[in-house]
Amino acid sequence: MIDWFPTPNPNVHPLPGPAEAGGLARWQALINLRHVARSTESADRSTRGHSERVATLSVMIASEAGWYAADRHALREAALLHDLGRVCSAPAEAGPHEPGALGHDDPANDPELGAQIASVALEPRQVSWIRHHRARWDGAGSTGGLKGPHLPDGALIIGLSDAYDRMVVGAEGDELTRADAVVECMRGYGKRFAPWVVDIVMDLADDLPTGPADERPDVLRLAPAA
């Protein structure tokens, strides 16, 4: 069962309890926002479960990078809501992304809008991860003025995780295999993606999630006639 809703965990930084000031309001806001994300994603095969997969991969990368449990918990919360800018602004009939886009960002996704919406439930650092998750490491096309090491680490992790998932679970017939998706990440090394995040993805290559392309049987190739 997908863990879409916040639950207290004594081993990590817990969500504020209802008895604390603002705790109940934040709790309810998180639940409502996750409802919005899940409901919109479920309308399309390639986006169904997308935020959950991005959250899972983000935590994998953060764990390999040595993040503490509390920070991984915060990253998961943000990753589950990273696409609010798309689900709250895109027309209902719009597809998730163009075929063959190789994980490129959905033009209908407005990270600034998503960050503003998420701010009712998340902490400022989590909001910054959502706001900048589409930023390129090299700053090309950036309107926020941040690039390279000035970008929040959480945004860099979510950004690559988001792109990877769009590659392996993309438009039907255009999905990449896990191996090909890793190659695409390598091509973005120091350009679209942070070098250190790509390094971790390469180290985790054999454990990364797979998609429809990996599940298809190889095409039978007949030997040429003698």
Side-chain angles (χ1 to χ4, degrees), residues 73-218:
H73 181 71
L75 183 66
R76 177 174 174 78
E77 283 189 337
L80 285 171
L81 301 180
H82 79 280
D83 258 354
L84 280 177
R86 181 182 70 83
V87 302
C88 293
S89 63
E93 68 276 8
H97 51 275
E98 292 298 320
L102 294 180
H104 286 201
D105 301 305
D106 179 358
N109 185 2
D110 182 349
E112 180 59 38
L113 174 61
Q116 291 176 10
I117 296 170
S119 67
V120 303
L122 299 182
E123 300 171 355
R125 64 168 179 162
Q126 294 172 299
V127 173
S128 74
W129 297 341
I130 294 175
R131 176 174 288 112
H132 297 293
H133 82 272
R134 286 180 57 179
R136 291 175 56 103
W137 177 259
D138 60 10
S142 173
T143 58
L146 297 182
K147 66 177 182 178
H150 298 293
L151 289 165
D153 287 351
L156 297 172
I157 292 175
I158 293 175
L160 188 144
S161 299
D162 177 45
Y164 177 88
D165 187 69
R166 291 181 183 277
M167 293 178 201
V168 298
V169 189
E172 189 168 2
D174 287 314
E175 307 96 338
L176 297 184
T177 63
R178 174 172 59 187
D180 287 339
V182 171
V183 170
E184 288 300 322
C185 291
M186 293 169 61
R187 287 176 178 169
Y189 191 99
K191 299 174 183 177
R192 184 181 179 193
F193 304 121
W196 64 270
V197 182
V198 177
D199 286 339
I200 291 176
V201 166
M202 293 168 62
D203 289 340
L204 294 173
D206 291 338
D207 299 316
L208 293 175
T210 58
D214 290 287
E215 297 167 3
R216 297 189 188 109
D218 292 335

